[in-house]
Amino acid sequence: MEELLRREHEVMKVCLLAGKIMLESGAETYRVEDTMVRIAAAFGLDNSHSYMTPTGIIFSIEEPSHMTRLIRIASRTTNLYRIDRVNSISRSIHLGELTVTEAFRALQETEREKPNYPSWLMILMAAVVSGCFLLMFNGTWEDVLPAVLAGGLGYITAVSMEKVVPVRFFAEFSGALIIGMTSVWLVRAGLGRHLDLIMISSVMPLVPGLMITNAIRDLMAGHLISGLSKGAEAFITSFAIGAGIAFMLTFL
Amino acid sequence: MEIHHALQHVLASFIASAGFGILFNAPRRALLQCGAAGAAGWMLYIWLQELEVLPVTATVVAAFWVTIISHYFAKVYRTPIIVFSVSGIIPLVPGGLAYDALRHVAMNQYDQAVSLGAQAFMISGAIGLGLVLAEVTNQLIRKWLPTRYLGR
């Protein structure tokens, strides 16, 4: 019995860590719940239940000792690489390639791993993406350069502000503020023509498109609490961006 | 549509989607597929726009198409579908409309703002609907195909 309890405890730890990494990386609700239940089942503990909201996970194993635990999730980003890693770890657990201890170690490694790409590349990509969006919105080539500059600067601001002040809203607000300021000045300096198009395109790297879509998808799939809270998060982010742009348009 | 115009759209949407893949930390080996999903979705979307299909309908169809492609990639490359679908959906997100709505709020033109905001909401809903429809289709295919063609 002692042995069984200890094993249950270990499996619980693996499941919770897997769920935590996935949730913090922005995985879909059903995938987190499903992965946790599957891992437990692969280790021989059937009848487990997982309940996830964007701010916490409750996981419960019915047998042998009715153990239930809760973990709190404070911050969420989008990191598709980690979701992919946890997915392949869970796959190898299912195939019986990993023991409980090995699985736990692999997950810990995933959690510690540095981001997939260097930050200069991410900033460069944010700038390039802004330019591409300008072309997709049927903008002219002369507006590409201002969009690239504004988009890149806005992204740098948002990322570095988030490191200084851990308030997401404020980071996004200042990013949008810089985007608004840069685009207005560049247009006034004669470098760009269509202010609206430049602003829309350079704001795109900050827009919570993923969150909005995920929220609606969760709602449609019946994960009502997750859907509503993700929707609220998306709304706050868009509001921050809108407020930053509006602020600039009113005062400049 | 002229050739070079179409080419510009293909390239721009490919780079934008792959770039978003990098912003979202997608695995390196999946970046090209992310770009391909995004470009495919965007091409269908602007083609439907050219046929004067309503934006909401065009978005549902394009999101459906992106998700089908993502399902295929997810299966072939054994990677969670979210990696491809998220980057592929990005070009369809109504960022411009949401911006326009907020700009009208800032200019105290609330009636315009509300109608633009409602449009942005409808298009987000359309993306969600496209995603869910594709998932349902995928499940139906998985349920029916094996018994009909493989199960005997």
Side-chain angles (χ1 to χ4, degrees):
Chain A
M1 193 64 202
E2 189 92 324
E3 180 59 30
L4 252 173
L5 270 182
R6 229 199 51 224
R7 183 173 167 75
E8 189 185 349
H9 201 80
E10 298 270 288
V11 173
M12 177 69 110
K13 261 168 55 182
V14 172
C15 293
L16 279 179
L17 185 58
K20 178 172 174 247
I21 296 174
M22 292 181 89
L23 182 46
E24 282 177 345
S25 313
E28 311 101 300
T29 309
Y30 86 87
R31 184 180 291 280
V32 179
E33 292 181 350
D34 193 55
T35 305
M36 293 173 76
V37 171
R38 268 166 197 265
I39 291 177
F43 285 131
L45 295 171
D46 297 327
N47 269 331
S48 59
H49 304 273
S50 158
Y51 175 71
M52 180 206 132
T53 73
T55 47
I57 304 175
I58 302 172
F59 190 64
S60 147
I61 297 175
E62 270 186 27
E63 281 150 61
S65 67
H66 307 277
M67 185 189 282
T68 301
R69 280 178 63 187
L70 156 78
I71 47 171
R72 182 77 170 80
I73 305 293
S75 69
R76 286 164 302 281
T77 49
T78 309
N79 192 329
L80 300 175
Y81 172 73
R82 283 196 179 152
I83 298 177
D84 182 39
R85 279 292 300 150
V86 175
N87 188 57
S88 54
I89 290 171
S90 135
R91 208 184 280 270
S92 357
I93 291 174
H94 205 72
L95 292 173
E97 289 165 1
L98 292 174
T99 63
V100 184
T101 340
E102 280 168 357
F104 189 66
R105 204 162 297 150
L107 286 170
Q108 272 183 322
E109 232 164 72
T110 309
E111 200 185 19
R112 267 199 304 267
E113 240 171 309
K114 284 213 182 99
N116 209 1
Y117 302 100
S119 44
W120 63 264
L121 183 64
M122 291 183 117
I123 291 164
L124 181 74
M125 271 347 260
V128 171
V129 162
S130 308
C132 287
F133 269 107
L134 190 99
L135 293 177
M136 285 157 72
F137 296 147
N138 289 324
T140 49
W141 280 93
E142 54 183 344
D143 285 338
V144 169
L145 185 68
V148 166
L149 284 176
L153 281 176
Y155 191 77
I156 296 177
T157 315
V159 170
S160 37
M161 277 314 271
E162 202 167 357
K163 277 180 191 147
V164 183
V165 198
V167 184
R168 189 84 169 272
F169 178 89
F170 190 71
E172 253 122 26
F173 175 78
S174 25
L177 213 62
I178 295 293
I179 287 173
M181 205 154 70
T182 322
S183 344
V184 169
W185 281 346
L186 285 174
V187 169
R188 279 197 194 154
L191 253 173
R193 268 243 195 97
H194 309 292
L195 181 63
D196 279 349
L197 272 179
I198 296 172
M199 278 194 184
I200 295 174
S201 330
S202 35
V203 143
M204 283 307 275
L206 299 180
V207 164
L210 168 63
M211 266 190 267
I212 298 175
T213 320
N214 263 347
I216 289 175
R217 199 145 147 258
D218 272 354
L219 282 177
M220 283 182 177
H223 297 287
L224 301 179
I225 308 259
S226 292
L228 285 182
S229 37
K230 280 182 191 169
E233 199 179 11
F235 178 77
I236 288 177
T237 311
S238 356
F239 185 74
I241 296 171
I245 293 285
F247 193 84
M248 271 300 126
L249 286 174
T250 340
F251 290 101
L252 267 188
Chain B
M1 207 189 327
E2 307 124 63
I3 297 287
H4 78 269
H5 184 69
L7 204 65
Q8 178 182 319
H9 271 284
V10 174
L11 275 180
S13 54
F14 185 91
I15 298 173
S17 309
F20 256 101
I22 290 181
L23 290 186
F24 291 155
N25 267 309
R28 233 160 271 226
R29 59 190 166 82
L31 285 180
L32 285 181
Q33 291 85 314
C34 292
W42 183 249
M43 285 323 282
L44 182 61
Y45 178 77
I46 55 171
W47 182 62
L48 288 173
Q49 290 266 285
E50 213 123 292
L51 298 179
E52 294 183 3
V53 177
L54 286 175
V56 173
T57 322
T59 309
V60 174
V61 177
F64 182 83
W65 175 227
V66 169
T67 318
I68 293 287
I69 294 175
S70 309
H71 262 298
Y72 174 74
F73 284 152
K75 209 163 186 187
V76 172
Y77 299 99
R78 301 199 149 212
T79 305
I81 183 179
I82 190 175
V83 172
F84 306 111
S85 60
V86 156
S87 320
I89 287 294
I90 283 291
L92 304 174
V93 166
L97 273 174
Y99 162 84
D100 242 8
L102 280 159
R103 200 178 55 117
H104 280 94
V105 171
M107 285 154 56
N108 280 337
Q109 296 167 339
Y110 294 110
D111 46 347
Q112 289 254 34
V114 169
S115 100
L116 285 166
Q119 275 181 52
F121 181 77
M122 282 300 285
I123 289 187
S124 320
I127 294 176
L129 185 62
L131 282 165
V132 171
L133 278 181
E135 230 136 84
V136 169
T137 313
N138 182 52
Q139 271 169 26
L140 283 182
I141 290 174
R142 256 200 262 168
K143 211 170 178 181
W144 290 105
L145 269 189
T147 50
R148 237 183 242 172
Y149 297 102
L150 311 166
R152 274 176 213 167

